[in-house]
Amino acid sequence: MIIQTSTASFLIENSDSKHGCVSIRSNSQEELHRFFGSLEIQETNELSYAYEVLACKQEFANAVILMVKEIDYSEFGNFSFKTFKN
């Protein structure tokens, strides 16, 4: 799953190395630290997602809740579902 915010991109995948956890990769070390500050952030070899944390699903859910709370809905004013009609 990809989550895009105004400050970072996040790639979320099931963790092969830690059962019951997810791998969260990002192009922003600062945003990973902000959402997962207590977890170890590692550098990756990927250019698009240079940083990674492993988080349990509850920690990830808590971070997503914070992301949703930070949405500025005033930026949605120019969006229209008419754009998607065929």
Side-chain angles (χ1 to χ4, degrees), residues 11-29:
L11 175 65
I12 296 89
E13 299 177 316
N14 191 37
S15 173
D16 293 332
S17 63
K18 200 170 181 184
H19 180 71
C21 292
V22 291
S23 163
I24 301 111
R25 296 181 187 158
S26 180
N27 61 335
S28 172
Q29 183 177 20

Side-chain angles (χ1 to χ4, degrees), residues 9-83:
S9 295
F10 300 90
L11 175 65
I12 296 89
E13 299 177 316
N14 191 37
S15 173
D16 293 332
S17 63
K18 200 170 181 184
H19 180 71
C21 292
V22 291
S23 163
I24 301 111
R25 296 181 187 158
S26 180
N27 61 335
S28 172
Q29 183 177 20
E30 293 82 17
E31 288 297 278
L32 280 179
H33 181 67
R34 194 165 71 86
F35 288 114
F36 304 98
S38 63
L39 300 178
E40 180 184 355
I41 299 172
Q42 298 180 351
E43 290 191 36
T44 72
N45 294 327
E46 293 183 34
L47 293 176
S48 297
Y49 300 100
Y51 307 98
E52 175 184 35
V53 296
L54 295 178
C56 72
K57 292 178 182 178
Q58 184 61 54
E59 290 168 318
F60 173 63
N62 292 340
V64 170
I65 289 168
L66 289 175
M67 288 179 192
V68 170
K69 286 182 177 181
E70 292 179 354
I71 294 172
D72 181 0
Y73 291 96
S74 66
E75 294 179 7
F76 287 79
N78 296 328
F79 179 77
S80 172
F81 283 108
K82 293 177 186 177
T83 306

